[in-house]
């Protein structure tokens, strides 16, 4: 396996724990930090997908020696949710998915906690289930949330009363009849995407403890420390000042650890543990289906295309399988709505994106936030139409892709973008149009391409803050609320601070997150930290730098405009005098008259976008739907065995417009990691659910890509068209890197053997069956 460039940065070393007896190093860590009073939490979970809870008997569990806490939903009925407060910490009157917590236990050992859960008796009255989102959206489906309209929710989430539709985002643009009339060819088809798991190496883990003053501390492997504090505090109706969240390095997240999943249960058990800390760690099986999963999707695409390849009209319907609770999934549905055409100029659009309650695991954020799913459909559809019109799929994309100033699907003028460059460069790197010879007889090769776009999916006003404090020796501490989970947050923060201050990066230290001391950060999601947090850091650096320069200017009697900070020294362009930052950034400087100027230097910065506008509920139109889009393309070459259908990805090229690559090595590493994760979901991954029951919650039956499955060759191409509101022009790349991988591979498979794959994953069995069907035909 060869790479154009591979650099490992920002690596963290996750704790790997289970609910088995903790021994050795793990036990030592527990004893050192929390002492022998540490209690072990365990959750009693539903075994049925949908039922009323008729009775919960916890008496046997409470009577078991060594069991210290037993709690149920009757004790804490509060609801939580980031965009829609629809989920209880423990089920109260009914369960809605297999694995939903119905009770929590904390005991002296993991084994006792497990035994106590087994002793809790729950009597259910089975209810009809919903296991398909298209059916769930219909009038005949049983209602899973009769109180939907009573839930608190964001104003941009459009619930439908008397249905299972928790959000319906609509786009109505242009004249559909005119668009269909202009088309030389109209094609419609249905595509499907299954649920998948994030499978971070570190499963969800938390420890909570209440001190003598009633202050709760939660140590959590979280992407959202401040959001967790907010959501848990509101669900328990306590002051935010009473809850502290500490997040160290996180062993992978990919969206799984955004928001709240099991952390609220840990806090509730700690509230009843009389000051003893409670530890709750998800087993690998629990991680697969009881925390967030990527939502399933049924996508119906209808497209009209002129003879020259221009897209004249598009009608898309997305049925999102949001699962039992859609508090996060409703915003994925929204993002799919305002991105519903893909990165193309389409004058006539009719789109519906519906988030539907089902009795499946909870759909939440995952890398790409709905974009890998809708691009799976859109990008295959474009390829098929190009072939039907005997057009080159690359040229069709270049013709239709959004250019600066063109209207997006919501009517927003597209900002400057390098999308055309990305498509052209990806195709060129794959020698598009040139045949490639198979490695051996019985093999066939094909090339495919897919384009993408993705905006940071978030509310209109998510904020970031940063502070910078200097030490006596001229080094500085940068405080942020962003989380490092291996993607390099701390590295980027240090780079931006060093550049903004004019000091060596070696003199910068960045702290991890503690909500009592760290400045606010909305969440570490949406590929937004380099952009949003980065702006806050630069503003903090500018404030600190201004304090230093004004102090030196006062002492030297110079114009501040003639001063700068270079390599940790204040220098004068007028007199060529210089002074190191050491000491003066804390103690100040003595003036010629013997008095002093300055004092401890502390810079503060904040950033919040103020320019995003609401969208019309019926048309989806508005001046500015999002802050910006990251755009790009991937091209893939595959080789397929005619006898077995086995797929080998020979080369995968990624080209993205990142605005400005603050750290080019890290950008390329994100491209490579995203491409491999995209390949994994494309070829291997699917949570198998039968009537709501998960059938493969283990690495034995749920495969993910390893180095053996990675492409033989990978190439990453950076395109830089600056973003007007980004730090030095930068925008995010972490999530976009896996968006177009699956359709690019699917298009390559189709080019190689003519087999069309409508549903992920693209397995060798499906390819083999498709080839055999062709032979029979």
């Amino acid at each position: 396996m060869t790479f154009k460039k591979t650099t490992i940065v920002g690596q963290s070393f996750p704790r790997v724990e289970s609910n088995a007896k903790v021994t050795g190093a793990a036990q030592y860590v527990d004893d050192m930090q929390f002492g022998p009073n540490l209690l072990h939490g365990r959750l009693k979970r539903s075994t049925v997908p949908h039922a009323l809870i008729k009775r919960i008997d916890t008496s046997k569990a409470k009577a078991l020696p060594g069991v210290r806490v037993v709690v149920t939903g009757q004790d804490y009925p509060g609801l939580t949710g980031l965009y829609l407060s629809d989920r209880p910490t423990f089920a109260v009157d009914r369960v809605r998915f297999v694995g939903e917590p119905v009770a929590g236990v904390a005991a002296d050992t993991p084994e006792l906690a497990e035994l106590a859960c087994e002793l809790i008796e729950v009597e259910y009255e089975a209810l009809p289930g919903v296991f398909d989102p298209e059916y769930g959206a219909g009038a005949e489906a049983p209602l899973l949330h009769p109180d939907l309209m009573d839930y608190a929710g964001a104003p941009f989430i459009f619930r439908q009363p008397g249905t299972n539709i928790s959000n319906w985002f609509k786009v109505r643009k242009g004249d559909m009849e005119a668009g269909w009339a202009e088309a030389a060819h109209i094609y419609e088809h249905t595509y499907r995407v299954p649920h998948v798991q994030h499978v971070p190496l570190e499963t969800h883990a938390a420890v909570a403890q209440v001190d003598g003053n009633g202050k709760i501390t939660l140590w959590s492997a979280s992407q959202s420390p401040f959001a967790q504090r907010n959501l848990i505090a509101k669900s328990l109706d306590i002051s935010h000042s009473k809850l502290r969240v500490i997040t160290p390095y996180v062993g992978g997240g990919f969206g799984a650890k955004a928001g709240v999943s099991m952390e609220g249960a840990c806090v509730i058990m700690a509230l009843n543990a009389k000051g003893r800390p409670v530890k709750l760690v998800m087993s690998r099986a629990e991680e697969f289906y009881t925390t967030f999963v990527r939502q399933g999707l049924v996508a119906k695409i209808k497209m009209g295309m002129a003879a020259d390849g221009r897209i004249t009209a598009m009608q898309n319907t997305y049925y999102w399988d949001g699962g039992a609770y859609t508090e996060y999934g409703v915003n994925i549905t929204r993002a799919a709505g305002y991105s519903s055409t893909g990165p193309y100029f389409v004058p006539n659009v009719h789109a519906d994106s519906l988030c539907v309650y089902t009795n499946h695991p909870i759909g939440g954020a995952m890398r790409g936030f709905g974009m890998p799913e809708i691009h799976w459909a859109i990008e295959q559809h474009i390829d098929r139409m190009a072939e039907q019109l005997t057009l080159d799929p690359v040229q069709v994309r270049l013709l239709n892709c959004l250019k600066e100033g063109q209207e997006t699907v919501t009517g927003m003028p597209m900002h400057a973008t390098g999308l055309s460059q990305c498509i052209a460069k990806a195709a060129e790197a794959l020698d598009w149009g040139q045949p490639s010879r198979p490695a051996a007889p019985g093999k066939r090769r094909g090339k495919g391409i897919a384009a993408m776009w993705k905006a940071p999916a978030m509310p209109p006003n998510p904020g970031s803050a940063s502070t910078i404090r200097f030490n006596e020796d001229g080094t500085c501490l940068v405080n942020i609320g962003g989380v490092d989970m291996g993607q390099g947050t701390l590295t980027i923060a240090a780079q931006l601070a060093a550049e903004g201050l004019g000091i060596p990066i070696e003199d910068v230290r960045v702290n991890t997150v503690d909500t009592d001391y760290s400045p606010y950060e909305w969440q570490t999601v949406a590929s937004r930290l380099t952009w949003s947090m980065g702006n806050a850091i630069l503003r903090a650096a500018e404030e600190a730098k201004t304090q230093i320069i004004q102090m030196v200017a006062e002492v030297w009697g110079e114009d501040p405009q003639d001063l700068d900070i270079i390599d940790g020294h204040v220098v004068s362009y007028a007199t060529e005098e210089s002074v190191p930052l050491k000491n003066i950034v804390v103690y100040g400087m003595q003036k010629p008259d013997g008095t002093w100027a300055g004092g401890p230097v502390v810079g503060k910065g904040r950033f919040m976008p103020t320019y995003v506008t609401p969208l019309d509920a019926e048309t989806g139109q508005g001046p500015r739907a999002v802050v910006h889009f990251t755009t790009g393309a991937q091209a893939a070459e595959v080789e397929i065995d005619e006898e077995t259908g086995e797929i080998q990805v020979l080369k995968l090229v990624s080209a993205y417009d990142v605005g400005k690559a603050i750290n080019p090595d890290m950008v390329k590493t994100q491209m490579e990691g995203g491409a491999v994760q995209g390949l994994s979901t494309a070829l291997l991954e699917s949570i198998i659910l039968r009537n709501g029951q998960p059938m493969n919650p283990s690495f034995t039956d749920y495969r993910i890509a390893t180095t053996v499955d990675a492409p033989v060759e990978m190439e990453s191409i950076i395109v830089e068209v600056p973003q007007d509101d980004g730090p030095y022009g930068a925008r995010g790349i972490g999530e976009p890197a896996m968006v177009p991988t699956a359709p690019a591979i699917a298009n390559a498979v189709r080019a190689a053997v003519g087999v069309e794959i409508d549903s992920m994953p693209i397995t060798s069995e499906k390819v083999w069956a498709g080839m055999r069907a062709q032979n029979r035909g």
Side-chain angles (χ1 to χ4, degrees), residues 266-559:
C266 190
V267 169
I268 286 173
M269 288 188 281
L271 286 169
N272 292 271
K274 300 179 180 179
R276 295 180 67 173
V278 177
K279 175 182 177 181
L280 183 61
V281 180
M282 296 298 93
S283 68
R284 180 57 64 182
E286 287 177 306
E287 190 75 19
F288 267 105
Y289 65 95
T290 70
T291 60
F292 290 133
V293 301
R294 190 172 82 176
Q295 295 184 118
L297 173 66
V298 178
K300 296 178 179 291
I301 310 292
K302 181 181 180 182
M303 188 182 297
M305 191 174 283
D308 63 356
R310 285 182 302 108
I311 301 173
T312 62
M314 192 180 292
Q315 182 171 340
N316 300 344
T317 304
Y318 301 130
Y319 293 99
W320 291 94
D321 189 334
Y325 301 99
T326 63
E327 50 105 348
Y328 220 126
V330 287
N331 198 41
I332 298 171
T333 299
R334 181 173 181 267
Y338 61 62
S339 309
S340 54
T341 58
Y344 303 107
F345 173 69
V346 184
N348 308 295
V349 182
H350 184 291
D352 295 289
S353 186
L354 301 96
C355 191
V356 184
Y357 285 119
T358 68
N359 295 115
H360 282 153
I362 301 171
M366 184 175 172
R367 192 178 194 176
F369 208 75
M371 297 304 100
E373 298 93 295
I374 68 170
H375 283 75
W376 166 255
I378 295 166
E379 290 300 306
Q380 286 202 81
H381 208 82
I382 286 176
D383 254 46
R384 296 181 189 186
M385 292 200 74
E387 184 187 51
Q388 290 159 9
L389 290 170
T390 63
L391 299 171
D392 184 325
V394 171
Q395 296 305 315
V396 169
R397 287 177 171 83
L398 289 172
L399 176 65
N400 290 285
C401 72
L402 281 161
K403 285 84 174 176
E404 183 178 1
Q406 289 184 320
E407 275 195 1
T408 69
V409 61
T410 60
M412 165 183 162
M414 186 63 180
H415 54 75
T417 174
L419 178 55
S420 297
Q421 296 180 53
C422 293
I423 295 170
K425 288 178 179 292
E428 180 184 6
L430 204 66
D431 295 325
W432 190 266
Q434 302 298 316
S436 183
R437 181 177 299 176
K443 307 276 190 179
R444 297 194 213 171
R445 289 192 177 186
K447 299 176 182 180
I449 193 167
M452 62 74 60
W453 70 342
K454 186 193 180 299
M458 56 194 186
N461 59 335
S464 298
S466 176
T467 61
I468 295 176
R469 175 172 61 85
F470 273 90
N471 303 311
E472 292 88 341
D473 62 357
T475 61
C476 73
L477 293 174
V478 178
N479 290 296
I480 57 172
V483 174
D484 199 311
M485 48 191 171
Q487 86 281 34
T489 294
L490 303 186
T491 302
I492 287 293
Q495 281 189 263
L496 290 170
E499 186 73 16
L501 291 166
I503 66 177
I505 193 171
E506 295 81 9
D507 289 347
V508 179
R509 295 292 179 271
V510 185
N511 290 339
T512 54
V513 184
D514 180 333
T515 58
D516 268 12
Y517 301 101
S518 300
Y520 179 82
E521 183 62 63
W522 177 63
Q523 292 190 88
T524 302
V525 297
S527 300
R528 59 181 287 279
L529 283 195
T530 297
W531 166 74
S532 182
M533 180 192 75
N535 276 323
I537 291 171
L538 287 184
R539 292 179 181 184
E542 181 63 28
E543 183 177 289
K545 186 175 182 179
T546 299
Q547 292 173 27
I548 296 169
I549 286 177
Q550 287 179 344
M551 170 184 65
V552 175
E554 180 183 353
V555 173
W556 287 355
E558 293 201 35
D559 186 340

